[in-house]
Amino acid sequence: MKCFRFCLPAVFSLFFFGTSFSQTHLNLAPTPPMGFNTWNTFQTKISEDMLRAMVDSFVSSGMREAGYQYFVLDDGWMAMERDNSGSLVADPVKFPHGMKAFADYVHSRGLKFGIYNCAGSKTCAGYPGTRGHEYEDARLYASWGVDFLKYDWCNTDSLNTPEAYKTMRAALIATGRPIVFSICEWGDHKPWLWAGGVGELYRTTGDISASFAVRISRGDWTPQSVTSILDLQESIRKYNGPNHWNDPDMLEVGNGMTDDEDKAHFSLWCMLAAPLAAGNDLRKMSAQTREILTNRELIAVDQDPRGISAFKMMLADSVELWVKPLKNNGIAFCFFNRSERSKKIDLPWKDLNISDPLSGLAIHFDSEQLSIRDLLLHKDLGTTLGNFNRTLPAHSVIVLKLSHLVN
Ligand code: GLA
């Protein structure tokens, strides 16, 4: 009897959190998840008609073909109260046909469906949270056909963070439906140290904004900028990898930064092997925005199966060089001018020695010659003989893929 009471939970937790349960076994995100999320542009102002049009644009813009998969509803999809039986319900005004009908529509266009809730008593925007309802909410999501759950951290009082996320993960597993679990506690409890066995991705910082270099206050809080988030990523690169991705937050491409800044933001997120969640209005995106978001050569860098996040080297005149080891001994190089003035690069390749103990990368350009392809211009640029000469406007990047020459 004693053993029944005490051993069963132990066996249960071993199954879910021990050797039988791990992200590797589920393998739901062998490469960083790619999709769209409503929050950055719409916050809680969402409705079924508008979202159906967005799903259509997701497909007609070529995003789906470029590899984006998940259509995720963030905060604001629920009615303000649970129903009499304690179930969450979709806001009947925003979703007159209910959530299952909308999920079916997303699936009918060849996409996967994601939804949002929160570990606390209420979501960050004040809708009903999941605390105390983990298993019933998970069953409801599974019955709707949810494929992805973003799980936030507002109104959690004294909840233990890893335990709260493990509980929800167990609830998702218990449904029998494969559901990607996106942990969103803003990096407050160092999720890179414990979330790798719990969620497929975990936010590493507070919320992003469409500001490139400056953090602009919004009264009682100050969101991050692109570069302030970037600066927090390198020290945790070793925790990144297949099925456990550091998540530097969703994209602000197409949301008001300059074209160079959008290119830099997207390229740097690809260099980090970050999840790519577009956050712009897909119905109205400009040709430039679409070109950035669907740049397959950059997406291939992000989705490289090794899943290694880039490291940084400083070059002369404060230009940063981010380096990402790729499959087949390939390497992605991202020259990044974060200053407000344009900078000239004149780099003798042979002066560059690169080594990265984490990935085993070691290149001596004085004794090895590699071919160069520019991933933003989609052009081959010869080899690493001689010098690399280019001018980088303010807040811009040059992204190259270097490959060993085939003999
Ligand atoms: C938090 C999250 C955001 C978004 C909002 C919704 O701030 O970090 O990404 O989900 O909540 O309220």
Side-chain angles (χ1 to χ4, degrees):
M1 184 64 189
K2 250 190 181 160
C3 190
F4 181 75
R5 281 180 56 202
F6 295 109
C7 300
L8 195 61
V11 170
F12 181 82
S13 62
L14 189 84
F15 179 75
F16 283 127
F17 304 118
T19 46
S20 314
F21 170 76
S22 78
Q23 263 43 50
T24 317
H25 288 88
L26 289 173
N27 202 26
L28 298 180
T31 59
M34 294 171 62
F36 162 81
N37 177 297
T38 50
W39 186 253
N40 283 356
T41 294
F42 301 101
Q43 289 86 50
T44 61
K45 291 181 236 64
I46 52 176
S47 70
E48 188 179 326
D49 282 352
M50 179 274 271
L51 292 168
R52 280 180 184 244
M54 202 75 71
V55 171
D56 294 344
S57 300
F58 192 128
V59 176
S60 64
S61 63
M63 301 262 301
R64 184 185 67 187
E65 296 317 312
Y68 293 84
Q69 245 191 327
Y70 294 94
F71 190 93
V72 183
L73 301 187
D74 208 284
D75 208 349
W77 61 266
M78 289 172 243
M80 291 312 287
E81 302 292 338
R82 289 174 179 268
D83 70 11
N84 289 339
S85 62
S87 268
L88 291 172
V89 268
D91 182 319
V93 176
K94 292 177 180 173
F95 295 91
H97 300 97
M99 198 50 84
K100 174 81 169 72
F102 183 68
D104 289 348
Y105 188 69
V106 173
H107 288 141
S108 77
R109 303 308 312 268
L111 301 175
K112 293 188 170 171
F113 179 54
I115 214 160
Y116 161 101
N117 209 322
C118 184
S121 54
K122 286 194 183 308
T123 71
C124 299
Y127 295 85
T130 286
R131 186 171 187 175
H133 297 270
E134 290 82 359
Y135 281 79
E136 63 191 281
D137 287 359
R139 281 194 297 273
L140 180 68
Y141 302 148
S143 76
W144 287 342
V146 165
D147 307 295
F148 181 110
L149 174 67
K150 174 175 171 181
Y151 203 53
D152 216 335
W153 192 245
C154 282
N155 305 302
T156 43
D157 304 320
S158 57
L159 270 186
N160 174 300
T161 316
E163 291 310 316
Y165 281 99
K166 284 178 186 172
T167 301
M168 193 62 206
R169 179 83 222 198
L172 293 175
I173 299 262
T175 68
R177 185 176 174 87
I179 298 177
V180 168
F181 192 36
S182 165
I183 292 175
C184 178
E185 54 75 82
W186 321 304
D188 284 4
H189 304 87
K190 297 190 169 55
W192 43 90
L193 297 179
W194 53 264
V198 185
E200 279 75 18
L201 59 165
Y202 42 88
R203 281 272 298 277
T204 55
T205 70
D207 291 7
I208 194 168
S209 61
S211 172
F212 192 75
V214 185
R215 296 185 63 185
I216 300 166
S217 164
R218 295 196 183 152
D220 52 348
W221 71 295
T222 306
Q224 299 282 342
S225 67
V226 169
T227 55
S228 70
I229 289 185
L230 179 70
D231 291 341
L232 297 168
Q233 305 310 309
E234 197 194 8
S235 67
I236 53 172
R237 68 182 280 261
K238 73 173 179 197
Y239 300 103
N240 201 52
N243 295 303
H244 52 94
W245 303 103
N246 293 341
D247 177 3
D249 206 0
M250 303 170 289
L251 296 167
E252 294 282 14
V253 174
N255 285 344
M257 295 186 289
T258 68
D259 198 39
D260 274 341
E261 290 172 342
D262 274 354
K263 279 184 190 151
H265 171 30
F266 189 74
S267 303
L268 288 160
W269 262 228
C270 290
M271 295 297 291
L272 294 173
L276 298 176
N280 56 310
D281 188 339
L282 303 179
R283 297 166 306 173
K284 297 181 187 159
M285 71 180 148
S286 66
Q288 291 98 310
T289 298
R290 189 171 58 237
E291 202 178 308
I292 295 169
L293 289 174
T294 58
N295 182 330
R296 288 171 190 240
E297 297 197 77
L298 286 178
I299 290 173
V301 169
D302 180 75
Q303 297 287 303
D304 184 86
R306 292 183 75 188
I308 300 172
S309 192
F311 58 95
K312 183 173 66 176
M313 297 168 61
M314 292 309 294
L315 297 181
D317 206 14
S318 57
V319 172
E320 293 176 359
L321 169 58
W322 289 79
V323 180
K324 182 181 196 294
L326 304 171
K327 68 177 181 189
N328 301 331
N329 290 323
I331 318 155
F333 265 28
C334 177
F335 295 92
F336 174 36
N337 174 10
R338 65 191 295 161
S339 80
E340 309 290 329
R341 285 180 298 114
S342 88
K343 300 266 167 144
K344 239 182 115 36
I345 305 177
D346 188 3
L347 176 74
W349 283 107
K350 66 173 175 34
D351 288 358
L352 211 55
N353 284 324
I354 295 184
S355 75
D356 174 34
L358 183 70
S359 63
L361 176 75
I363 301 189
H364 302 276
F365 284 90
D366 53 354
S367 57
E368 293 175 76
Q369 203 186 129
L370 285 82
S371 67
I372 310 171
R373 182 162 174 83
D374 187 315
L375 306 187
L376 282 163
L377 300 179
H378 306 294
K379 258 170 110 173
D380 292 328
L381 301 181
T383 70
T384 53
L385 261 190
N387 283 24
F388 185 65
N389 253 311
R390 285 268 281 273
T391 299
L392 270 170
H395 294 180
S396 77
V397 290
I398 295 168
V399 191
L400 307 177
K401 182 175 172 198
L402 306 188
S403 308
H404 287 268
L405 301 176
V406 187
N407 294 320

